[in-house]
């Protein structure tokens, strides 16, 4: 699973992206402090084992105390099996 999200610049708080399996099981997370004056990109790459009916939830979050524009730039899944 490959995810890349983006937040507009803001000098306060932390930003991050999380992945969950079936909406509840945490798979991984990346978070970073703000970069003043620059948009921030958050890549997250994980190898995940999925069964038929399983699904992935991507959650982006921030703790600036106010609204910050953000978006999911890319979501990709690659099958690595037989």
């Amino acid at each position: 699973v490959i995810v890349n999200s983006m937040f507009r610049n803001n000098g306060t708080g932390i930003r991050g992206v999380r992945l969950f399996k079936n909406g509840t099981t945490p798979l991984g997370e990346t978070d970073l402090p703000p970069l003043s004056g620059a948009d921030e990109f958050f890549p997250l790459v994980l190898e995940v084992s999925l069964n038929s009916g399983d699904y992935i939830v991507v959650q982006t979050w921030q703790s600036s105390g106010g609204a910050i524009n953000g978006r999911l730039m890319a979501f990709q899944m690659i099958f690595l099996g037989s």
Side-chain angles (χ1 to χ4, degrees), residues 52-82:
S52 178
D54 287 344
Y55 62 95
I56 298 293
V57 172
V58 178
Q59 179 186 60
T60 58
W61 61 275
Q62 57 89 10
S63 65
S64 72
I68 298 177
N69 288 336
R71 61 186 167 155
L72 182 63
M73 302 290 292
F75 177 84
Q76 182 178 8
M77 294 178 67
I78 301 168
F79 179 69
L80 302 173
S82 56

Side-chain angles (χ1 to χ4, degrees), residues 13 23 27 36 39-40 46-47 55 64 71 82:
L27 297 173
S36 183
D39 291 346
E40 297 176 82
L46 295 171
E47 186 174 323
Y55 62 95
S64 72
R71 61 186 167 155
S82 56

Side-chain angles (χ1 to χ4, degrees), residues 4-72:
N4 193 11
S5 61
M6 183 274 301
F7 286 98
R8 294 288 181 199
N9 64 351
N10 178 303
T12 306
I14 304 290
R15 293 97 175 90
V17 60
R18 298 178 181 129
L19 287 182
F20 294 90
K21 180 178 177 178
N22 299 326
T24 57
T25 304
L27 297 173
E29 175 177 344
T30 185
D31 54 58
L32 296 169
L35 299 173
S36 183
D39 291 346
E40 297 176 82
F41 295 87
F42 294 85
L44 182 57
V45 178
L46 295 171
E47 186 174 323
V48 177
S49 177
L50 298 174
N51 294 312
S52 178
D54 287 344
Y55 62 95
I56 298 293
V57 172
V58 178
Q59 179 186 60
T60 58
W61 61 275
Q62 57 89 10
S63 65
S64 72
I68 298 177
N69 288 336
R71 61 186 167 155
L72 182 63

